[in-house]
Amino acid sequence: MTLFDVVSRQRRLVLLVVGLVSVAGIWAGVELPSAIYPELNFSRIKIVAQGSSLGARQVVFSVTRPLEEAVSVVPGVTRVQSHSIRGASELSITFSPTTDMAYALQLVRARVNQIQGSLPPDLDIEIERLTPSLFPILSYNLQGGDPATLYDIARYEIKPLLSRVPGVGRVDVQGSDVREIEVMVDPARLSAVGISYADLADAIRRAVTVQAVGRVAQNYRQYLIVTDQEAHSAADVGAVVLGSGLHVRDVATVQVGTEDHVRIVAGDGKPAALINVARQVGGNTVAIADSVAGVMAGLARSLPPGVRLKPVYDQAALVRDAVRSVRDAMLVGAALAVLVLLVFLRHGRITAISATSIPVTLAVTIFVMSVIGQTFNLMTLGAMAIAIGLVIDDAVVITENIARHLLLGGGRVQAIRAAVQELIWPVTTSTITTVVVFLPLGLLQGVVGQFFAALATTLTVAVLVSLALALTLIPLLAEQFVTAHEVGASVTGALARVQRGLEDLGPRYERGLARALGRPRRLGAALLVLAAGGVGLWRLVGTGFLPEIDEGAFVLDYFTPGGTALAETNREVGIAESILAATPEITGTSRRTGAELGFFATAQNSGDIVVRLTPRNRRRRDVFAVMDEVRDETATAVPRLHIEFMQILADVINDLAGAARPVEVKLFGESLDTLEAYARRLAPELERIDGLEDLYNGVSEPSAELLMRVNEAEAGRIGMTPVDVGSAVSAALLGVPAGEIRAGDRPVAVRVRAPDSVRFDPQRLRALPLLGGPGRRGTPLGSLATFAPTESRLSLERENQQQMIVMTADVSGRSLGGVMTEVRRVLAGHPAPPGVRVALAGQYAGQQEAFRALLLVLALAAVSVCAVMVVQFESFVEPLVVLLVAPVSFVGALALLFLTGTPLNVSSFMGLILLVGLIVKNGIILLDFTRLRMREEGVSLEVAIREAGRVRLRPILMTTLCTLFGLLPLALGIGAGSEMQRPLALAVIGGLALSTPITLFAVPTLLVAVRGRSFTLPRPAGR
């Protein structure tokens, strides 16, 4: 009993299962979450410690080094990088890819807890595992009011509502001004009453603290006794009694103010509060965006007059556009493939049966995706678009063979049975060769491995589903609806002329193959010429990492020279904002100074601007042209402002992966002066490289400091130590927390400090009285300490407890590989001085690592395909012949990449890997029929292969053209997100177009040259 007999007998079960799974796939397609990328896992943990007021060098010794030493011993750690700035430290810990990150996070937190007692007090330490959920998918500006009011509305009214939206992970609110109760005390006045700033703060804190002091039962009720000291306003704080009949208001000015300005947040150049919404892992980006938009629309009606919400970043818009463009590519590709089938198969009914495999395969694939936890994203949708041309292959081969057997005569059932039985083994093995090329992708790690694992998994599922349908559903439909009449030739019209031309191809090809078999040397020479051309193209084609897509938004990371005041940084950034506002494609901006997008320690002279563009179909220039124009204008208008341009998603992925910029040159050494001198020597040469933009030489700008040296002997006379003096000065200048008041349901912090006229006047600093000695008399600070202005480095970088500086740059208008070739040339021409070690990092290092892994994957894919063919042909000759000519087909891929200006990146490399399976697929269809004729009829190899070429020409051409036309919409790169799959599609189209004539002529010729023309196979017993 054959497979077709089993399927035909259980046709109702087969149709029921296919129908149910297809319906389940349609339902899953409605419910499946949508995101821009697959769910990504990164083996990195970040620690941000801030709250200190120390300079960068002091932060290294007091905070950074203890943290580095603590976490370096955690199992699995491969790299620890640190970034120390004034008042904060940021550590990035990279683990090996196989590390259990949930457990690693626990270990890191435990190690930090063990040493926290030795760190400076009041240090706020955050430890997070780096995931995409740390970065927003939506950003809104709240504009139209004073900064403090905007922050209060965003923090206490909008954030709680958004936090309840299903799928929302975290909601961050950033603003310039945060309300606090200011208790400002003139130092002389405070000294006169004999109390310090710390004493005053402690008195206020004790007075406004609410305590539960007991319980009492009375009248059958239990009463909780609570001290009624809660403060609700600035007046309540002013009424706190200090002793001797004095109140706080008698020695201090108490008013509602704001915290010290350490950041500025603006929207479209005006004060704003920024609301960032991140999704939970597995959250549906589009659904979350729609829900948040609904909440925001409802809130807009209840906002104070003049206050409004404006979206400045919406990742869901890119997801929608990407889904729409991939959907259109799938529809166009399917239509073109069906048109190819109609031309070859002659009739609409049998064409429709073959075409049925496309929607059914996609529906079943979506169902399997939902079962294994995949989402709709650029990679899975791209895989489905790529699959359009592949999933129809098996159905085409089966259908064409059924049509051929029907034309040979005999009963319909017998013809279908013979056609299916004849192709079960070659179709299965040829499909398996497409699948096995993806198996080695499990060796890929990091971002590349996760990106293309989703693509490979989806494509594998689709191809296997199409194989099952080709062997079950297609024969059943053919049995039901196809007769010899439906496969006959058309007798009139343009289609008839096309069909006659196609029918003539078989005999013409057979004659051409006969001539090729007689001239193996000429064919070998042609292959050598192609191979030499391929070597040349390999050198000419540029190289990149991940394809860049037009996201419709970008971010400017900026910084001013070290020590620049916040107001001056604000002025310079304002000029850049005005340039952005005048750019016609830009619809909105949100700006942070002293803060950044994501999880970072940020100095006051740095920040970022998120820029939103008009939809792609309403602008003439792409995002890269807009960035180039803004880059040139800002460099001219604000030369002191260093700006780096990145698209938001690319910036997020690079930050998560630890490769912040395309070009990174790390310089290690013991002497920072030597490192900086070498970096300054390299910078002018690197700036001359064409295509290298936004170069930062890594030299930390000097930051102004005022060194206070305490005279220990003088301080000792009044009973103070240098630490006591420092604490007293810090209390006056930075302030001391003094509890909080409860204004309704909102807590407002209370801080005791000196007035701004004292804090910001260096001349009055020396007159600051410090209490000490008998009677707690005031002693001027100037008699206890001396002051000396100096400069220190604003930031310090370290990696694996070695100090370093990092030179960074972006790439624009040129391939990453081409730029890095010149970077290496510059480094070779300027050798590092003794004691300095140079390392190339950034995206280039990721590219090199990925290419090495992909070359290994390509080799293993070839070995896997060879193993499948060895099983099928029971010989090494046929597999080796097919694989020998397969690399020549890569010349077509490289040529098309070169002609279209597309770099050889991870996506196009994936196309080369996929090509291995596709090239072999056609070879199997041809050589399997050859062996079938040799076994059944006992003919020689030459006779059998010529007949096989004539018979199998049509299915080979049909499958090839279906694949080419199915990929054509992706290769054109039309629509959002299409840039991700375009290099893959171009590589496959170029390679497959060249591989078809190579398979049809070179494979038979080489096989005959190796085996001999008269080679025969033993016929099965009984024949």
Side-chain angles (χ1 to χ4, degrees), residues 559-577:
F559 62 86
T560 53
T564 303
L566 184 62
E568 173 60 17
T569 300
N570 183 47
R571 185 192 68 81
E572 295 183 22
V573 176
I575 298 173
E577 286 181 305

Side-chain angles (χ1 to χ4, degrees), residues 824-895:
R824 291 197 302 271
R825 178 182 55 77
V826 169
L827 293 174
H830 297 76
V836 175
R837 178 169 61 88
V838 181
L840 296 178
Q843 293 177 30
Y844 174 72
Q847 178 216 55
Q848 295 299 297
E849 182 181 353
F851 276 19
R852 286 192 294 269
L854 286 168
L855 283 172
L856 177 61
V857 168
L858 189 61
L860 292 177
V863 173
S864 302
V865 166
C866 183
V868 173
M869 288 194 293
V870 166
V871 172
Q872 180 181 3
F873 293 109
E874 301 175 352
S875 168
F876 284 104
V877 175
E878 285 81 0
L880 292 178
V881 166
V882 174
L883 289 177
L884 186 63
V885 299
V888 182
S889 304
F890 290 171
V891 178
L894 295 174

Side-chain angles (χ1 to χ4, degrees), residues 155-379:
R155 172 65 181 84
Y156 297 108
E157 296 181 23
I158 298 177
K159 180 178 178 178
L161 293 177
L162 296 183
S163 299
R164 298 201 304 266
V165 173
V168 168
R170 56 190 286 168
V171 180
D172 291 327
V173 175
Q174 294 174 314
S176 301
D177 292 342
V178 179
R179 295 190 195 279
E180 77 174 3
I181 302 299
E182 298 176 334
V183 182
M184 294 179 293
V185 194
D186 184 84
R189 194 174 179 186
L190 196 61
S191 176
V193 297
I195 60 176
S196 67
Y197 287 95
D199 295 335
L200 179 58
D202 188 57
I204 294 173
R205 189 184 307 108
R206 290 174 179 274
V208 301
T209 299
V210 177
Q211 290 178 290
V213 298
R215 298 182 184 87
V216 63
Q218 185 178 358
N219 297 330
Y220 308 105
R221 301 181 71 182
Q222 180 80 24
Y223 289 87
L224 176 66
I225 305 174
V226 182
T227 58
D228 186 18
Q229 305 300 120
E230 188 173 291
H232 300 284
S233 65
D236 292 342
V237 175
V240 170
V241 178
L242 298 176
S244 304
L246 286 175
H247 295 78
V248 170
R249 61 175 174 264
D250 298 327
V251 297
T253 300
V254 184
Q255 64 184 27
V256 177
T258 60
E259 296 177 358
D260 282 348
H261 280 264
V262 295
R263 69 179 62 88
I264 295 175
V265 176
D268 298 331
K270 300 174 183 177
L274 181 60
I275 305 166
N276 292 320
V277 181
R279 69 182 180 93
Q280 297 174 357
V281 175
N284 189 328
T285 300
V286 174
I288 293 171
D290 291 340
S291 300
V292 169
V295 172
M296 293 300 198
L299 280 168
R301 294 187 290 270
S302 62
L303 294 175
V307 178
R308 65 189 184 280
L309 282 160
K310 179 179 180 180
V312 288
Y313 178 61
D314 183 1
Q315 195 180 105
L318 179 59
V319 174
R320 292 189 190 95
D321 291 343
V323 170
R324 191 180 304 115
S325 65
V326 173
R327 178 203 65 196
D328 294 344
M330 291 166 63
L331 292 175
V332 173
L336 292 174
V338 171
L339 186 61
V340 170
L341 291 183
L342 182 60
V343 170
F344 277 92
L345 295 178
R346 305 166 178 169
H347 291 277
R349 183 176 294 185
I350 193 169
T351 300
I353 289 174
S354 293
T356 302
S357 63
I358 297 178
V360 176
T361 298
L362 294 180
V364 177
T365 300
I366 292 172
F367 171 72
V368 177
M369 285 171 55
S370 68
V371 172
I372 62 178
Q374 293 281 5
T375 63
F376 281 140
N377 53 67
L378 281 179
M379 305 312 296

Side-chain angles (χ1 to χ4, degrees), residues 437-494:
V437 297
F438 292 124
L439 294 181
L441 284 175
L443 299 174
L444 290 180
Q445 297 174 341
V447 177
V448 174
Q450 295 178 72
F451 263 53
F452 289 95
L455 183 144
T457 300
T458 305
L459 202 53
T460 297
V461 170
V463 171
L464 291 177
V465 169
S466 71
L467 171 64
L469 293 176
L471 296 177
T472 55
L473 181 64
I474 298 303
L476 286 181
L477 295 178
E479 181 187 18
Q480 187 72 27
F481 300 108
V482 177
T483 63
H485 173 72
E486 274 78 32
V487 298
S490 301
V491 293
T492 59

Side-chain angles (χ1 to χ4, degrees), residues 881-946:
V881 166
V882 174
L883 289 177
L884 186 63
V885 299
V888 182
S889 304
F890 290 171
V891 178
L894 295 174
L896 192 55
L897 292 175
F898 176 73
L899 292 175
T900 57
T902 305
L904 179 64
N905 51 36
V906 174
S907 178
S908 46
F909 223 123
M910 283 292 297
L912 298 181
I913 294 172
L914 179 58
L915 260 179
V916 173
L918 296 180
I919 294 169
V920 169
K921 193 169 187 175
N922 285 338
I924 289 176
I925 292 174
L926 178 66
L927 297 184
D928 181 82
F929 193 85
T930 301
R931 290 178 67 86
L932 181 67
R933 285 293 175 262
M934 292 174 69
R935 284 189 180 279
E936 291 188 348
E937 300 177 10
V939 297
S940 66
L941 174 60
E942 181 179 4
V943 174
I945 206 164
R946 287 175 59 179

